[in-house]
Amino acid sequence: MKRFLHLGMAVTLSAQLMQCKTDTNTSESMNDDFQWELERFADIRILRYQIPDFDSLSLKQKLLVYYLVQAGLSGRDIIYDQNHRYNLTLRHCFDKIMTELDGRETGLEWDAFEEYVKRFWFANGVHHHYSHQKFEPGFSREYLEGLLKKTGQSLPAEVIEFMFNPAIEARKVVRDEGSDPVLESAVNFYDPGITTAEAEAFYNAMRKPGDSTPISYGLNSKLVRLPDGRLAEKVWKVGGMYGPAIERIVYWLEKAVEVAENQKQADALKLLIEYYRTGDLRTWDAYNIAWVQATEGVIDYINSFIEVYNDPIGYKANYETIVQIDDFEASRRMRVLAEHAGWFERQSPIQPEYKKENVVGISYRVVNVAGEAGDASPATPIGVNLPNADWIRVRYGSKSVSLGNIEDAYDKAGARPILEEFCFTTAELERALKYGGVASKLHTALHEVIGHASGKPKEGVTNAKERLSKYYSTIEEARADLVALYFITDPYLRELGLVESEEVGKAEYDSYIRNGLMLQLRRLKPGEQLEEDHMRNRQLVAKWVYEKGKPDNVIERKVVNGKTYYIINDYDKLRALFGELLREVQRIKSEADYEAARRLVEGYGVKVDADLHAEVLRRTEALKIPPYAGFVNPELVPVEKDGQIIDIRVEYPTSFKQQMLDYGRRYSFLPLIN
């Protein structure tokens, strides 16, 4: 499970939680002059992040980082094809046009084409990375055809029609009530024409009643229709679908085994390689158990088909990788949460029968990212908790990480004007500026370490993900957020030395309500509803507590000079409401109560107030701060002498376009059509 940065987070950090060429690259030192923001286009900012203390690693550790980053980038093609069956064809076409014609073409249509391509690269395809809406070209078909002719290319007629016809596969993921999510979603996990009923029947037939250690059915495959009409899986493995890219991933992982920091780390990597070779989901489980128990090294990683947010019914996972270097001091400060996880479980307001008797195996680290790819790039999470299989988490524990240097980069790139516009009082603004950074980081830690690791299913319930179907991810993210919100104002955090003032919790409550009810709406176009799970989760929580708190005026809505504000009048009662909702959301997950999940998500998490949305767009557009941000990766460059690598140098690219084109040249291993 991931946690993403949400709007309204403050723009200062706390020392309690975080310590912080060619013509396209520079070896800038780690100083205050570092250029954090590179450019802006459409609704996006492109940022950079630094890798603190990389030079303090041993050569062996640097090589491990380098090999893991290369493994991750080698699978870059996969996410494009997963997001839509035409994406790889389009990317190769766009890359060739940008390589050959950039600097030669000018004019409004070229500008529109270049922006379209940048949005395409950022989203790993033709649908928006967050709203799932298909991009609308700002240039004509005739102009594209002219560019194709100039570069000696052609596109199939159906691909061009798909690009320019807004009615064709307009949304990557569709979960509307009354829809057929599999049939209507454009994501490339299911052959066109397969229905939700067919897909669910296919996987239901595989399940073993009473299996207490179920595999993650469908996680690493595309569901296709055979010529005789039957359904079958095309497994993502060596020799299977995505085989050429996976072979390159395995090549680099095998080199990583040779420089592993310890035997447990090496053994986990070997199991990951075996999984990539066989596609066996039992091996995937064995790998996750080994990986979660390999906690002793400085270097760690996330690699494979992991998160199921983009599958409308929650089976199939996007490819992603994150390579991590431990931030020792920040991890030491925050490890206290993992050490006291049992206390939080005992004090939770959830039903006693759904509390874990023993909370085992939680590891928590603040890490510095060294490279990302797939679904984690260019848009990246700020926190991750894995593995996702509930039975592994219960028996063996989980790993939680906060991506410290990513949050640091967001902070350095700052967005103070948003706070000034949407905070109602000077006190609220000052609290956000002083405590918002530490509040956000603490929320991330509580969400990942305590939230996702808490709770257990009802006796006999082993397939909540499948039974909750399209609502599972929203419910799970809401559950983790509610755990964080409930405990972030608890005095026990002060006893643990994690906060210096109760104002930290208040700052997070202000931010969460402000964002959940208003600020995140700037990410939508007029008329759109909420599609993405994290956005649905945040509105669900914020709207529910707002509505339930009305009799006591817990959260007050004020309109002053045409501007709407939400003011928290009673933080204690708000905390009680968070606890009440947490109890119900935990029950829904533990009992796999589909109907209750549907009522909660559809009733609070989907629909958008059109008038409020228009107001938010009007107020935020005036600030000229794009609602989304993502990153170029640092470049890890081997330094060789006499044919041997003697060092790894870090360079910081200065062009998003050049990095995307460079990646296209170096890491394109899949044929255009799978």
PDB file of all heavy atoms in Angstrom, residues 5 19 46 75 77 98 120 157 162 249 279 298 305 356 363 373 454 459 468 542 550 553 615 622 637:
ATOM      1  N   LEU A   5       1.475  12.148  -1.520  1.00  0.00           N
ATOM      2  CA  LEU A   5       1.404  13.512  -1.026  1.00  0.00           C
ATOM      3  C   LEU A   5       0.046  14.090  -1.355  1.00  0.00           C
ATOM      4  O   LEU A   5      -0.447  13.932  -2.466  1.00  0.00           O
ATOM      5  CB  LEU A   5       2.478  14.374  -1.688  1.00  0.00           C
ATOM      6  CG  LEU A   5       2.523  15.826  -1.221  1.00  0.00           C
ATOM      7  CD1 LEU A   5       3.370  15.914   0.034  1.00  0.00           C
ATOM      8  CD2 LEU A   5       3.068  16.736  -2.286  1.00  0.00           C
ATOM      9  N   GLN A  19      16.323  14.612   8.442  1.00  0.00           N
ATOM     10  CA  GLN A  19      17.534  15.341   8.140  1.00  0.00           C
ATOM     11  C   GLN A  19      17.534  15.622   6.636  1.00  0.00           C
ATOM     12  O   GLN A  19      17.140  14.799   5.843  1.00  0.00           O
ATOM     13  CB  GLN A  19      18.756  14.506   8.480  1.00  0.00           C
ATOM     14  CG  GLN A  19      19.022  14.354   9.966  1.00  0.00           C
ATOM     15  CD  GLN A  19      20.243  13.515  10.207  1.00  0.00           C
ATOM     16  OE1 GLN A  19      20.453  12.509   9.599  1.00  0.00           O
ATOM     17  NE2 GLN A  19      21.056  13.966  11.127  1.00  0.00           N
ATOM     18  N   ILE A  46       7.638  19.547 -12.610  1.00  0.00           N
ATOM     19  CA  ILE A  46       8.709  18.552 -12.601  1.00  0.00           C
ATOM     20  C   ILE A  46       9.767  18.999 -11.601  1.00  0.00           C
ATOM     21  O   ILE A  46      10.339  20.087 -11.714  1.00  0.00           O
ATOM     22  CB  ILE A  46       9.336  18.384 -13.988  1.00  0.00           C
ATOM     23  CG1 ILE A  46       8.296  17.889 -14.990  1.00  0.00           C
ATOM     24  CG2 ILE A  46      10.526  17.429 -13.923  1.00  0.00           C
ATOM     25  CD1 ILE A  46       7.738  16.512 -14.682  1.00  0.00           C
ATOM     26  N   GLY A  75      12.320  -2.575 -16.658  1.00  0.00           N
ATOM     27  CA  GLY A  75      10.908  -2.933 -16.799  1.00  0.00           C
ATOM     28  C   GLY A  75      10.012  -1.762 -17.138  1.00  0.00           C
ATOM     29  O   GLY A  75       8.777  -1.879 -17.089  1.00  0.00           O
ATOM     30  N   ASP A  77       9.040  -0.361 -19.848  1.00  0.00           N
ATOM     31  CA  ASP A  77       8.035  -0.574 -20.897  1.00  0.00           C
ATOM     32  C   ASP A  77       6.738  -1.173 -20.352  1.00  0.00           C
ATOM     33  O   ASP A  77       5.650  -0.935 -20.885  1.00  0.00           O
ATOM     34  CB  ASP A  77       8.577  -1.535 -21.958  1.00  0.00           C
ATOM     35  CG  ASP A  77       9.465  -0.859 -22.985  1.00  0.00           C
ATOM     36  OD1 ASP A  77       9.588   0.375 -22.957  1.00  0.00           O
ATOM     37  OD2 ASP A  77      10.051  -1.581 -23.823  1.00  0.00           O
ATOM     38  N   MET A  98       9.977  13.531 -31.297  1.00  0.00           N
ATOM     39  CA  MET A  98      10.661  14.492 -30.432  1.00  0.00           C
ATOM     40  C   MET A  98      12.168  14.481 -30.676  1.00  0.00           C
ATOM     41  O   MET A  98      12.819  15.531 -30.629  1.00  0.00           O
ATOM     42  CB  MET A  98      10.364  14.180 -28.968  1.00  0.00           C
ATOM     43  CG  MET A  98       8.903  14.371 -28.564  1.00  0.00           C
ATOM     44  SD  MET A  98       8.295  16.059 -28.793  1.00  0.00           S
ATOM     45  CE  MET A  98       9.307  16.940 -27.614  1.00  0.00           C
ATOM     46  N   PHE A 120       1.935  12.619 -21.574  1.00  0.00           N
ATOM     47  CA  PHE A 120       1.953  11.185 -21.862  1.00  0.00           C
ATOM     48  C   PHE A 120       3.106  10.506 -21.119  1.00  0.00           C
ATOM     49  O   PHE A 120       2.923   9.471 -20.472  1.00  0.00           O
ATOM     50  CB  PHE A 120       2.086  11.004 -23.375  1.00  0.00           C
ATOM     51  CG  PHE A 120       2.174   9.588 -23.846  1.00  0.00           C
ATOM     52  CD1 PHE A 120       1.034   8.881 -24.204  1.00  0.00           C
ATOM     53  CD2 PHE A 120       3.405   8.944 -23.958  1.00  0.00           C
ATOM     54  CE1 PHE A 120       1.111   7.572 -24.667  1.00  0.00           C
ATOM     55  CE2 PHE A 120       3.494   7.636 -24.408  1.00  0.00           C
ATOM     56  CZ  PHE A 120       2.341   6.950 -24.764  1.00  0.00           C
ATOM     57  N   ALA A 157      -4.843   3.090 -38.189  1.00  0.00           N
ATOM     58  CA  ALA A 157      -5.996   3.991 -38.156  1.00  0.00           C
ATOM     59  C   ALA A 157      -6.728   3.916 -36.827  1.00  0.00           C
ATOM     60  O   ALA A 157      -7.204   4.938 -36.310  1.00  0.00           O
ATOM     61  CB  ALA A 157      -6.944   3.654 -39.315  1.00  0.00           C
ATOM     62  N   PHE A 162      -8.435   6.286 -31.738  1.00  0.00           N
ATOM     63  CA  PHE A 162      -8.447   6.231 -30.273  1.00  0.00           C
ATOM     64  C   PHE A 162      -7.930   7.528 -29.664  1.00  0.00           C
ATOM     65  O   PHE A 162      -8.495   8.058 -28.709  1.00  0.00           O
ATOM     66  CB  PHE A 162      -7.603   5.045 -29.808  1.00  0.00           C
ATOM     67  CG  PHE A 162      -7.187   5.102 -28.366  1.00  0.00           C
ATOM     68  CD1 PHE A 162      -8.101   4.925 -27.340  1.00  0.00           C
ATOM     69  CD2 PHE A 162      -5.858   5.349 -28.014  1.00  0.00           C
ATOM     70  CE1 PHE A 162      -7.711   4.978 -26.008  1.00  0.00           C
ATOM     71  CE2 PHE A 162      -5.457   5.401 -26.696  1.00  0.00           C
ATOM     72  CZ  PHE A 162      -6.387   5.213 -25.687  1.00  0.00           C
ATOM     73  N   ILE A 249      15.399  -7.421 -16.376  1.00  0.00           N
ATOM     74  CA  ILE A 249      15.257  -7.230 -14.925  1.00  0.00           C
ATOM     75  C   ILE A 249      16.034  -8.308 -14.190  1.00  0.00           C
ATOM     76  O   ILE A 249      16.804  -8.035 -13.255  1.00  0.00           O
ATOM     77  CB  ILE A 249      13.766  -7.263 -14.519  1.00  0.00           C
ATOM     78  CG1 ILE A 249      12.987  -6.103 -15.153  1.00  0.00           C
ATOM     79  CG2 ILE A 249      13.629  -7.225 -12.996  1.00  0.00           C
ATOM     80  CD1 ILE A 249      11.481  -6.209 -14.976  1.00  0.00           C
ATOM     81  N   GLY A 279       6.786 -17.210 -12.688  1.00  0.00           N
ATOM     82  CA  GLY A 279       5.458 -16.626 -12.552  1.00  0.00           C
ATOM     83  C   GLY A 279       4.615 -17.285 -11.477  1.00  0.00           C
ATOM     84  O   GLY A 279       3.414 -17.009 -11.369  1.00  0.00           O
ATOM     85  N   VAL A 298      21.563  -1.786   4.725  1.00  0.00           N
ATOM     86  CA  VAL A 298      21.373  -0.349   4.515  1.00  0.00           C
ATOM     87  C   VAL A 298      20.512  -0.101   3.274  1.00  0.00           C
ATOM     88  O   VAL A 298      19.748   0.851   3.211  1.00  0.00           O
ATOM     89  CB  VAL A 298      22.745   0.347   4.348  1.00  0.00           C
ATOM     90  CG1 VAL A 298      22.586   1.809   3.972  1.00  0.00           C
ATOM     91  CG2 VAL A 298      23.557   0.199   5.620  1.00  0.00           C
ATOM     92  N   PHE A 305       5.344  -6.637  -9.548  1.00  0.00           N
ATOM     93  CA  PHE A 305       3.938  -6.300  -9.777  1.00  0.00           C
ATOM     94  C   PHE A 305       3.277  -6.257  -8.407  1.00  0.00           C
ATOM     95  O   PHE A 305       3.079  -7.296  -7.779  1.00  0.00           O
ATOM     96  CB  PHE A 305       3.292  -7.342 -10.683  1.00  0.00           C
ATOM     97  CG  PHE A 305       4.102  -7.631 -11.919  1.00  0.00           C
ATOM     98  CD1 PHE A 305       4.754  -8.845 -12.072  1.00  0.00           C
ATOM     99  CD2 PHE A 305       4.232  -6.673 -12.906  1.00  0.00           C
ATOM    100  CE1 PHE A 305       5.516  -9.103 -13.194  1.00  0.00           C
ATOM    101  CE2 PHE A 305       4.997  -6.919 -14.036  1.00  0.00           C
ATOM    102  CZ  PHE A 305       5.640  -8.141 -14.187  1.00  0.00           C
ATOM    103  N   LYS A 356      -5.477  -7.501  16.555  1.00  0.00           N
ATOM    104  CA  LYS A 356      -4.462  -8.539  16.588  1.00  0.00           C
ATOM    105  C   LYS A 356      -4.029  -8.793  18.030  1.00  0.00           C
ATOM    106  O   LYS A 356      -3.811  -7.844  18.792  1.00  0.00           O
ATOM    107  CB  LYS A 356      -3.239  -8.128  15.769  1.00  0.00           C
ATOM    108  CG  LYS A 356      -3.463  -8.086  14.268  1.00  0.00           C
ATOM    109  CD  LYS A 356      -2.189  -7.647  13.564  1.00  0.00           C
ATOM    110  CE  LYS A 356      -2.369  -7.627  12.060  1.00  0.00           C
ATOM    111  NZ  LYS A 356      -1.154  -7.122  11.362  1.00  0.00           N
ATOM    112  N   SER A 363       8.718  -3.423  10.561  1.00  0.00           N
ATOM    113  CA  SER A 363       9.942  -2.624  10.488  1.00  0.00           C
ATOM    114  C   SER A 363       9.598  -1.289   9.855  1.00  0.00           C
ATOM    115  O   SER A 363       8.796  -1.230   8.927  1.00  0.00           O
ATOM    116  CB  SER A 363      11.019  -3.342   9.664  1.00  0.00           C
ATOM    117  OG  SER A 363      10.671  -3.389   8.300  1.00  0.00           O
ATOM    118  N   ALA A 373      10.915   3.625 -10.864  1.00  0.00           N
ATOM    119  CA  ALA A 373      10.465   3.326 -12.218  1.00  0.00           C
ATOM    120  C   ALA A 373       9.067   2.724 -12.149  1.00  0.00           C
ATOM    121  O   ALA A 373       8.554   2.403 -11.074  1.00  0.00           O
ATOM    122  CB  ALA A 373      11.422   2.366 -12.928  1.00  0.00           C
ATOM    123  N   SER A 454      -2.507  -2.870  11.174  1.00  0.00           N
ATOM    124  CA  SER A 454      -3.439  -3.121  12.275  1.00  0.00           C
ATOM    125  C   SER A 454      -4.628  -3.960  11.820  1.00  0.00           C
ATOM    126  O   SER A 454      -4.888  -4.132  10.638  1.00  0.00           O
ATOM    127  CB  SER A 454      -3.941  -1.790  12.842  1.00  0.00           C
ATOM    128  OG  SER A 454      -4.749  -1.121  11.881  1.00  0.00           O
ATOM    129  N   GLU A 459     -13.045 -14.401  11.765  1.00  0.00           N
ATOM    130  CA  GLU A 459     -12.764 -15.821  11.604  1.00  0.00           C
ATOM    131  C   GLU A 459     -13.470 -16.355  10.361  1.00  0.00           C
ATOM    132  O   GLU A 459     -14.681 -16.181  10.183  1.00  0.00           O
ATOM    133  CB  GLU A 459     -13.245 -16.593  12.847  1.00  0.00           C
ATOM    134  CG  GLU A 459     -12.880 -18.059  12.837  1.00  0.00           C
ATOM    135  CD  GLU A 459     -11.413 -18.291  13.152  1.00  0.00           C
ATOM    136  OE1 GLU A 459     -10.806 -17.430  13.821  1.00  0.00           O
ATOM    137  OE2 GLU A 459     -10.886 -19.334  12.742  1.00  0.00           O
ATOM    138  N   LEU A 468     -14.715  -7.368  -1.465  1.00  0.00           N
ATOM    139  CA  LEU A 468     -14.990  -5.928  -1.521  1.00  0.00           C
ATOM    140  C   LEU A 468     -14.762  -5.372  -2.916  1.00  0.00           C
ATOM    141  O   LEU A 468     -15.172  -4.236  -3.209  1.00  0.00           O
ATOM    142  CB  LEU A 468     -14.130  -5.185  -0.501  1.00  0.00           C
ATOM    143  CG  LEU A 468     -14.420  -5.501   0.967  1.00  0.00           C
ATOM    144  CD1 LEU A 468     -13.490  -4.719   1.873  1.00  0.00           C
ATOM    145  CD2 LEU A 468     -15.872  -5.205   1.318  1.00  0.00           C
ATOM    146  N   ALA A 542     -13.351  12.925   5.234  1.00  0.00           N
ATOM    147  CA  ALA A 542     -13.617  14.318   5.586  1.00  0.00           C
ATOM    148  C   ALA A 542     -15.105  14.639   5.524  1.00  0.00           C
ATOM    149  O   ALA A 542     -15.646  15.321   6.408  1.00  0.00           O
ATOM    150  CB  ALA A 542     -12.833  15.246   4.656  1.00  0.00           C
ATOM    151  N   LYS A 550     -22.271  17.799  12.333  1.00  0.00           N
ATOM    152  CA  LYS A 550     -23.099  19.001  12.199  1.00  0.00           C
ATOM    153  C   LYS A 550     -23.924  19.330  13.441  1.00  0.00           C
ATOM    154  O   LYS A 550     -24.023  20.514  13.819  1.00  0.00           O
ATOM    155  CB  LYS A 550     -24.009  18.861  10.980  1.00  0.00           C
ATOM    156  CG  LYS A 550     -23.336  19.192   9.660  1.00  0.00           C
ATOM    157  CD  LYS A 550     -24.321  19.117   8.500  1.00  0.00           C
ATOM    158  CE  LYS A 550     -23.674  19.558   7.200  1.00  0.00           C
ATOM    159  NZ  LYS A 550     -24.605  19.471   6.049  1.00  0.00           N
ATOM    160  N   ASN A 553     -21.730  21.160  15.583  1.00  0.00           N
ATOM    161  CA  ASN A 553     -20.927  22.177  14.894  1.00  0.00           C
ATOM    162  C   ASN A 553     -19.429  21.898  15.047  1.00  0.00           C
ATOM    163  O   ASN A 553     -18.628  22.811  15.253  1.00  0.00           O
ATOM    164  CB  ASN A 553     -21.250  23.579  15.430  1.00  0.00           C
ATOM    165  CG  ASN A 553     -20.854  24.684  14.453  1.00  0.00           C
ATOM    166  OD1 ASN A 553     -20.839  24.476  13.240  1.00  0.00           O
ATOM    167  ND2 ASN A 553     -20.525  25.856  14.978  1.00  0.00           N
ATOM    168  N   GLU A 615     -15.522  26.876  -7.442  1.00  0.00           N
ATOM    169  CA  GLU A 615     -14.867  27.888  -6.607  1.00  0.00           C
ATOM    170  C   GLU A 615     -13.400  27.532  -6.359  1.00  0.00           C
ATOM    171  O   GLU A 615     -12.512  28.390  -6.464  1.00  0.00           O
ATOM    172  CB  GLU A 615     -15.597  28.003  -5.266  1.00  0.00           C
ATOM    173  CG  GLU A 615     -14.939  29.000  -4.319  1.00  0.00           C
ATOM    174  CD  GLU A 615     -15.421  28.874  -2.883  1.00  0.00           C
ATOM    175  OE1 GLU A 615     -16.606  28.549  -2.677  1.00  0.00           O
ATOM    176  OE2 GLU A 615     -14.602  29.093  -1.965  1.00  0.00           O
ATOM    177  N   ALA A 622      -5.824  31.096  -9.896  1.00  0.00           N
ATOM    178  CA  ALA A 622      -5.234  32.426  -9.736  1.00  0.00           C
ATOM    179  C   ALA A 622      -3.844  32.359  -9.113  1.00  0.00           C
ATOM    180  O   ALA A 622      -3.022  33.265  -9.299  1.00  0.00           O
ATOM    181  CB  ALA A 622      -6.153  33.298  -8.881  1.00  0.00           C
ATOM    182  N   VAL A 637      26.078   6.996 -12.550  1.00  0.00           N
ATOM    183  CA  VAL A 637      27.035   6.816 -13.646  1.00  0.00           C
ATOM    184  C   VAL A 637      28.244   6.017 -13.160  1.00  0.00           C
ATOM    185  O   VAL A 637      28.975   6.467 -12.263  1.00  0.00           O
ATOM    186  CB  VAL A 637      27.505   8.185 -14.187  1.00  0.00           C
ATOM    187  CG1 VAL A 637      28.466   7.993 -15.357  1.00  0.00           C
ATOM    188  CG2 VAL A 637      26.307   9.031 -14.607  1.00  0.00           C
TER     189      VAL A 637
END
